[in-house]
Structures are given as C-alpha cells and as structure tokens.
C-alpha cells in the first residue's frame, strides 16, 4: 500500500508542478493566478484530515482524482480566448482536488509501515515529490515544444491551419 500511495503522490506532484509551467505571464500575474489555489490547499489540509478520519482515504482519493482528471481536461482545452479568471478558477479547482488526494493517500500509505519506518517513509515521499515535480515539468515542456514545432511546420508548409475556405 505504501508503494501505491507513493505512485499516486508522484503522479500528483508531476501534475501540480507541471500545471504551474502553463502560466507564461508576468510573475505578479502568475502569482495572483495561483494564490487562490494555494489558499485552498492550506485551508483544506485540516479539513481533509477530519474527512480522512471519518471516511478513509479511498473516498477522498477517488473524489479528488476525479476533480484532477476533469480539470486536466479543462486545461487541455485552453485557447487564446480563455480568460484570466477562468484559468484561475480551473487552477483553484485543480488544487482543491489535489488537496483531497495528497494528504489522505500519503497518510494511508505511511500508516501501512511499521512505526519505526515512519521517518524513512516520509523522507522517501518528500524526495519522490521533489524529483517527480522536476520530471513532470521537464516532460510537459518537452511536449509543449514538440507541439509548437509541429504546428509551426504546418504553418510554414501551408497546412490546414493556414488555408481559408
């Protein structure tokens, strides 16, 4: 169970850190855009702790992952017409979903270890989160560059985006 919780935490860390890369605007605008999501995560930490005690990790994880999948789909459909506050709302909802999954899954995974292994499990989780965040960001930048190259080549070649009816 600890291994599964680590895999879920790694995946969520990749999703959380790579979503921040999508905000190529000025530092103040990016910070303000992400501020509500950070506040929601801070508020939700004690709330998800209480919910974890009542319902367990499975209910919270499934609900939170559903929210993360939905907001990832919404992020995949961004366009030039997508407004600043719409992006802020999607990002905030995404952080809400991540907050519903992260703490309960990590706590449940650590609870499966013997008590003497708690410090080692915490260290492993923290290391995996940092490494996966870096890998997720690098992976997303690679995808974005590949897609940009492909679209640019189509535009240069007079592809479908450049033709008028």
């Amino acid at each position: 169970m600890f291994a599964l919780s680590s895999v879920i935490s790694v995946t969520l860390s990749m999703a959380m850190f790579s979503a921040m890369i999508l905000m190529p605007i000025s530092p103040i605008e990016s910070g303000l855009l992400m501020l509500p999501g950070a506040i929601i995560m801070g508020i939700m930490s004690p709330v998800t702790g209480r919910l974890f005690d009542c319902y367990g990790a499975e209910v919270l994880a499934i609900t939170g992952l559903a929210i993360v999948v939905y907001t990832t789909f919404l992020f995949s459909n961004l366009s030039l017409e997508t407004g600043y506050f719409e992006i802020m709302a999607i990002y905030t909802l995404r952080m809400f979903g991540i907050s519903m999954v992260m703490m309960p899954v990590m706590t449940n995974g650590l609870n499966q270890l013997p008590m003497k292994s708690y410090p080692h499990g915490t260290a492993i989780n923290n290391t995996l989160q940092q490494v996966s965040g870096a890998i997720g960001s690098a992976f997303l930048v690679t995808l974005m560059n590949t897609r940009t190259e492909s679209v640019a080549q189509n535009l240069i070649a007079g592809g479908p985006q450049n033709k008028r009816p």
Side-chain angles (χ1 to χ4, degrees):
M1 191 60 143
F2 177 75
L4 178 61
S5 73
S6 295
V7 168
I8 292 170
S9 295
V10 162
T11 305
L12 283 175
S13 293
M14 291 173 85
M16 184 170 61
F17 287 114
S18 63
M20 294 176 194
I21 298 283
L22 291 175
M23 313 302 166
I25 48 183
S26 75
I28 189 76
E29 288 175 325
S30 292
L32 290 173
L33 186 133
M34 293 184 218
L35 180 64
I39 291 171
I40 287 293
M41 283 192 82
I43 291 170
M44 285 302 295
S45 289
V47 173
T48 53
R50 285 189 215 108
L51 291 173
F52 175 77
D53 292 339
C54 293
Y55 301 105
E58 187 175 343
V59 172
L60 292 173
I62 291 171
T63 305
L65 285 172
I67 293 169
V68 171
V69 167
Y70 176 69
T71 54
T72 300
F73 173 74
L74 293 177
F75 266 139
S76 72
N77 291 319
L78 295 180
S79 69
L80 293 174
E81 290 79 36
T82 306
Y84 181 83
F85 291 104
E86 185 178 349
I87 295 171
M88 182 187 291
I90 294 169
Y91 184 80
T92 302
L93 184 60
R94 183 182 178 94
M95 292 298 107
F96 176 78
I98 288 174
S99 71
M100 288 184 70
V101 179
M102 277 294 223
M103 187 280 301
V105 165
M106 289 174 69
T107 302
N108 193 47
L110 285 173
N111 285 343
Q112 305 304 311
L113 297 175
M115 189 176 267
K116 68 179 183 164
S117 297
Y118 284 0
H120 301 294
T122 302
I124 289 170
N125 275 340
N126 289 338
T127 302
L128 286 174
Q129 278 187 320
Q130 296 302 313
V131 171
S132 63
I135 291 171
S137 299
F139 181 69
L140 182 65
V141 168
T142 302
L143 285 176
M144 288 170 39
N145 285 338
T146 303
R147 179 72 177 139
T148 301
E149 262 183 39
S150 171
V151 170
Q153 287 175 357
N154 280 344
L155 287 173
I156 290 170
Q161 290 91 356
N162 204 17
K163 292 183 180 177
R164 292 181 186 219

